[in-house]
Amino acid sequence: MSALLSDSDLNDFISPGMACVKPAGPTEAKDNNNKLEVGIESNVPVKVSITLQDCLACAGCITSSEEILLSKQSHTVFLKKWNELKQEGSRSLVVSISPQCRLSMASYYSMNLGEFDHCFRHILKDKFNAKYVVGTQIGRSISIAQMNETIQSKSTEKVGPMICSVCPGFVLYAEKTKPELVPHMLDIKSPQQITGNLLKQIDPTCYHLSIMPCFDKKLEASRDECLKEVDCVITPKEFVTMLNELSIDFSSYLSGPDLIKELTPTSWSPELHWLSNEGSSSGGYAYQYILDLQSKNVRSHIVTVDGKNSDVVEYRLISEVGQVIASAGQVYGFRNIQNMVRKLSQGSASKKRGIKVKRRGKPTGKDTTSSIAVADPTKTDFIEVMACPSGCINGGGLLNDGENANRRKLLAQDLSQEYAKIPIVKNIQDVADTYSSKTSDLRYNLQVLESPPSDFVTIGNTW
């Protein structure tokens, strides 16, 4: 183990900071008349419960300002707004949902994906009078295509690997505590925001509800440059809770006509936005970058190199003569992110001092130019980074409560296998070319915080 890390650092979970925004003290003692008794404390210890709904996957406790933003992103807020929309009658409800959420809820309701999609569309149409109900694949195709173009345009600058910015947990971490990472980060928006952009172009007055696998997506929608694209973000946990509160029986909507065409914007292909693409169950950004380059290099092939654990993977594009044309990596979970940041920092320091860093190991397969047998994403052109272990298929907002770490990992593996069965889009660039002209403002305004805000509390020395 590196001397820079201790065993206490190797943890994908974060404990509350000293000034946690969720009160964690015992409840006040009361007498039989429900009056507070001053100076009297209960002898019975009270168990404190702080969940992923309270703490996000970023670099520390959320700030008080972020807590206010999160309070505007919940199913109770949505229901209140929905009732206002019904009374106004001037704004339409549109809903988007990611494939990870669809799979999680399909598993929860013991349905296949087709059955879930059928019920989901019917409930949102019959109970909430939704105008459009869409998947996020068109937005993802645009996001992937924009990233591929940006990476290739910067490939000659030799600034080190470019880093994906679609995971808001990682973006918050970098902006708050690792400013040296921000220049490496692509500023292309995520499928959530691009999908919202597309929908708002079609109906500028619509109310856009987005269902996403992670609570950090709420903060992403609250960024200044994203406010007009998504009005409210909820997770599958919240969606199921909402249906239970409304006494809606999900499985009772299995019958009835297919509403896929009726709930799709007229300018969209009805089936396209419900599809997926090749690559990881977090979006496949790393693999899609290599796949795009393969289409431009005849007789090249892709080699997958495993890392020291299942959350680290490297893809290499190998020429006919065995030369590495390009490479991309996947890094999931803050345990691996810490190692990635440490290596990138060491690499930058070594370059400044003129030190050559050797890659150890032996070459494998036809990869004759590489000198390692284990994946090292920090030496690649592009890194797909996700804060959650196992990626978005294990997002904190998915329906995996009550499971220990091993069970959650197995559930994520099961969902990943189901994810691989979703029909895929092969012509990502064609989809992007068709729909990207209907979007505007596709980039984040990534910022470096020279010092954390006054209400931001870091956690020990982990970050």
Side-chain angles (χ1 to χ4, degrees), residues 106-243:
S107 174
Y108 177 82
Y109 288 114
S110 301
M111 297 178 175
N112 62 46
L113 190 58
E115 292 172 335
F116 168 81
D117 289 344
H118 183 95
C119 293
F120 182 73
R121 288 190 285 261
H122 266 277
I123 286 176
L124 288 169
K125 175 64 176 177
D126 298 347
K127 290 294 184 180
F128 297 94
N129 195 31
K131 181 179 180 180
Y132 302 130
V133 179
V134 302
T136 57
Q137 183 56 43
I138 292 177
R140 184 194 284 176
S141 296
I142 295 173
S143 184
I144 289 172
Q146 291 286 330
M147 285 188 194
N148 290 345
E149 180 181 344
T150 304
I151 298 167
Q152 293 171 41
S153 69
K154 293 179 177 293
S155 61
T156 59
E157 297 180 12
K158 303 297 183 182
V159 295
M162 300 304 297
I163 302 176
C164 188
S165 298
V166 302
C167 174
F170 175 71
V171 172
L172 289 171
Y173 163 65
E175 288 181 319
K176 287 179 177 177
T177 66
K178 297 296 178 183
E180 67 272 18
L181 292 182
V182 175
H184 292 268
M185 297 174 68
L186 295 169
D187 57 359
I188 308 301
K189 287 185 178 178
S190 72
Q192 169 183 280
Q193 298 306 134
I194 296 179
T195 299
N197 194 307
L198 287 166
L199 292 170
K200 292 287 186 173
Q201 294 295 325
I202 296 170
D203 185 352
T205 65
C206 72
Y207 183 87
H208 178 202
L209 173 68
S210 178
I211 303 177
M212 288 288 142
C214 135
F215 292 99
D216 292 346
K217 286 292 184 179
K218 298 171 184 282
L219 291 178
E220 178 183 37
S222 299
R223 296 178 70 98
D224 290 341
E225 65 271 33
C226 299
L227 287 173
K228 297 180 180 180
E229 296 163 338
V230 180
D231 296 285
C232 184
V233 179
I234 63 174
T235 63
K237 289 179 181 177
E238 294 170 292
F239 185 80
V240 169
T241 299
M242 180 176 69
L243 296 191

Side-chain angles (χ1 to χ4, degrees), residues 184-381:
H184 292 268
M185 297 174 68
L186 295 169
D187 57 359
I188 308 301
K189 287 185 178 178
S190 72
Q192 169 183 280
Q193 298 306 134
I194 296 179
T195 299
N197 194 307
L198 287 166
L199 292 170
K200 292 287 186 173
Q201 294 295 325
I202 296 170
D203 185 352
T205 65
C206 72
Y207 183 87
H208 178 202
L209 173 68
S210 178
I211 303 177
M212 288 288 142
C214 135
F215 292 99
D216 292 346
K217 286 292 184 179
K218 298 171 184 282
L219 291 178
E220 178 183 37
S222 299
R223 296 178 70 98
D224 290 341
E225 65 271 33
C226 299
L227 287 173
K228 297 180 180 180
E229 296 163 338
V230 180
D231 296 285
C232 184
V233 179
I234 63 174
T235 63
K237 289 179 181 177
E238 294 170 292
F239 185 80
V240 169
T241 299
M242 180 176 69
L243 296 191
N244 291 337
E245 290 178 359
L246 298 173
S247 300
I248 296 176
D249 181 4
F250 194 87
S251 59
S252 65
Y253 287 83
L254 275 169
S255 59
D258 190 350
L259 300 178
I260 186 171
K261 291 184 178 180
E262 181 180 345
L263 295 178
T264 297
T266 54
S267 57
W268 288 21
S269 166
E271 293 80 16
L272 180 61
H273 54 95
W274 294 105
L275 303 181
S276 183
N277 54 262
E278 290 182 272
S280 71
S281 53
S282 296
Y285 302 95
Y287 187 79
Q288 285 294 323
Y289 165 64
I290 298 300
L291 201 61
D292 181 64
L293 287 178
Q294 186 186 30
S295 67
K296 303 170 184 176
N297 290 271
V298 181
R299 289 188 290 275
S300 61
H301 65 279
I302 299 174
V303 172
T304 301
V305 183
D306 295 328
K308 293 183 178 180
N309 59 67
S310 59
D311 280 339
V312 178
V313 179
E314 183 179 341
Y315 302 108
R316 297 174 187 163
L317 183 63
I318 310 300
S319 69
E320 187 178 17
V321 295
Q323 300 294 316
V324 177
I325 301 172
S327 58
Q330 292 172 192
V331 176
Y332 296 162
F334 269 113
R335 178 186 305 182
N336 294 315
I337 289 174
Q338 286 177 312
N339 289 328
M340 178 193 77
V341 172
R342 177 171 54 83
K343 287 184 177 181
L344 288 175
S345 299
Q346 287 179 342
S348 298
S350 298
K351 288 180 181 179
K352 290 180 181 179
R353 295 194 300 267
I355 300 173
K356 294 183 179 180
V357 179
K358 296 182 179 181
R359 302 174 74 184
R360 297 175 296 174
K362 297 180 180 180
T364 59
K366 297 181 179 180
D367 186 1
T368 57
T369 64
S370 173
S371 58
I372 62 168
V374 178
D376 185 359
T378 61
K379 304 297 183 183
T380 64
D381 308 322

Side-chain angles (χ1 to χ4, degrees), residues 72 74 77-79 81-82 85 91-95 200 203 205-209 231-232:
K72 299 178 181 179
S74 68
V77 171
F78 163 68
L79 287 175
K81 188 63 181 180
W82 171 63
L85 293 176
R91 297 182 67 188
S92 302
L93 170 65
V94 299
V95 182
K200 292 287 186 173
D203 185 352
T205 65
C206 72
Y207 183 87
H208 178 202
L209 173 68
D231 296 285
C232 184

Side-chain angles (χ1 to χ4, degrees), residues 63-116:
T63 66
S64 57
S65 58
E66 289 170 342
E67 183 193 12
I68 294 173
L69 294 176
L70 284 177
S71 68
K72 299 178 181 179
Q73 305 273 345
S74 68
H75 75 280
T76 54
V77 171
F78 163 68
L79 287 175
K80 180 180 179 181
K81 188 63 181 180
W82 171 63
N83 284 319
E84 293 176 3
L85 293 176
K86 286 196 301 182
Q87 295 174 1
E88 293 174 3
S90 58
R91 297 182 67 188
S92 302
L93 170 65
V94 299
V95 182
S96 64
I97 182 171
S98 75
Q100 298 91 349
C101 296
R102 292 161 57 204
L103 287 168
S104 179
M105 287 194 278
S107 174
Y108 177 82
Y109 288 114
S110 301
M111 297 178 175
N112 62 46
L113 190 58
E115 292 172 335
F116 168 81

